Amino acid sequence: QLVAYEVKRMKAEEGNKQKILRHIKELAEKLYKNENPYPAVAMHKVQKPAEGCHLRLHQKPFPRLDEGTVQWIIDQATAKLQGAPPAVRAEKRCMVPSGPPIAAILERNGNALANSARRLEVVRNCISYVFENKMLEAKKLFPAVLRAMKGRAARHCLTQELHLHVQQNRAVLDHQQFDFVIRMMNCCLQDCTAMDEHGIAAALLPLVTAFCRKLSPGITQFAYSCVQEHV
């Protein structure tokens, strides 16, 4: 039904957070009612009589109840309940039109996909500049790379690119290169979730024991010494 009826409305709401939230609440209510069709039985509240009401002249006395009649009504209701089939909500079947073609929805996601591809390209370019010692170009792209690390695809891209450089025996870095690589790794691990533990974090483990820099003759610092505080 969303695809059939709501595409125009969703397009119109794209820039307005208030309208989007209202729409989400409406959907949530529909979904909740669908899952919980039988409302909880509300207790009937009996109002207390007002003070001094017994002094009113026009008040009729409550009629005396006939015990036999009351019992008969209760028995009738019990018999009906015992013979009644279990209450099942009748399904309302309806035909939902196919709505706009899929292309219309893909157009909306096209920008997001293009943005994602651009982010990955920025990550790859920045890493290339670092390893080619083009530090000025790397510095220009660096803030965009750190922002891109919020996305899982960019974090995955970082591990792949660094892995390629390790395979090319380019793991020994100078101080500036080392600093850039460490900052990217730290940012990547900082944005990792529990879902990434056996993926991205695990892929970084062999890399942090490979990348290093020479501090002085005979003393080498490995990358893990700078990123080992992450959970």
Side-chain angles (χ1 to χ4, degrees):
Q1 281 177 331
L2 274 177
V3 172
Y5 302 126
E6 304 286 337
V7 171
K8 281 182 185 172
R9 179 179 172 182
M10 285 157 83
K11 276 187 179 177
E13 286 175 358
E14 262 173 356
N16 191 323
K17 280 189 180 178
Q18 293 295 326
K19 284 185 178 177
I20 290 170
L21 280 173
R22 199 183 312 133
H23 194 182
I24 289 169
K25 278 182 182 174
E26 285 171 16
L27 282 175
E29 280 174 20
K30 282 182 190 174
L31 289 169
Y32 182 81
K33 280 176 185 171
N34 189 58
E35 295 298 317
N36 304 278
Y38 305 110
V41 177
M43 295 300 288
H44 293 293
K45 289 181 180 176
V46 179
Q47 289 183 332
K48 285 185 178 179
E51 284 181 27
C53 65
H54 60 282
L55 300 173
R56 289 180 195 158
L57 296 173
H58 64 273
Q59 193 161 1
K60 292 178 183 177
F62 193 80
R64 185 173 176 78
L65 296 177
D66 177 40
E67 194 179 336
T69 309
V70 171
Q71 191 58 49
W72 179 80
I73 293 167
I74 291 170
D75 292 343
Q76 290 281 98
T78 309
K80 268 186 189 175
L81 282 174
Q82 284 172 349
V88 178
R89 190 166 62 112
E91 275 190 29
K92 288 182 182 176
R93 295 171 184 270
C94 63
M95 286 294 291
V96 177
S98 59
I102 295 295
I105 294 160
L106 289 177
E107 274 174 28
R108 296 177 66 233
N109 296 337
N111 289 340
L113 292 170
N115 283 343
S116 179
R118 273 200 295 275
R119 283 195 198 113
L120 300 190
E121 194 58 38
V122 167
V123 173
R124 288 192 193 99
N125 288 343
C126 186
I127 292 169
S128 297
Y129 290 147
V130 168
F131 284 92
E132 288 163 14
N133 259 321
K134 296 178 180 175
M135 291 306 169
L136 198 60
E137 282 87 344
K139 273 182 186 174
K140 286 177 189 171
L141 293 181
F142 203 65
V145 170
L146 298 187
R147 279 198 304 275
M149 286 299 133
K150 299 277 180 200
R152 189 172 181 161
R155 298 198 289 270
H156 187 61
C157 177
L158 176 76
T159 60
Q160 285 180 318
E161 290 296 308
L162 292 178
H163 183 67
L164 289 174
H165 288 289
V166 170
Q167 286 180 324
Q168 294 164 12
N169 292 327
R170 298 167 81 179
V172 181
L173 311 172
D174 67 26
H175 295 302
Q176 221 174 351
Q177 287 174 321
F178 189 79
D179 182 50
F180 269 99
V181 170
I182 291 300
R183 284 170 71 189
M184 282 192 274
M185 283 179 169
N186 268 323
C187 189
C188 177
L189 286 167
Q190 182 183 316
D191 290 315
C192 276
T193 62
M195 287 168 65
D196 298 320
E197 190 177 335
H198 303 294
I200 289 154
L204 277 176
L205 273 178
L207 299 174
V208 297
T209 56
F211 285 110
C212 60
R213 64 174 166 181
K214 301 281 184 193
L215 292 178
S216 63
I219 297 176
T220 304
Q221 182 187 16
F222 283 90
Y224 66 79
S225 64
C226 302
V227 300
Q228 60 193 6
E229 299 302 316
H230 293 277
V231 178

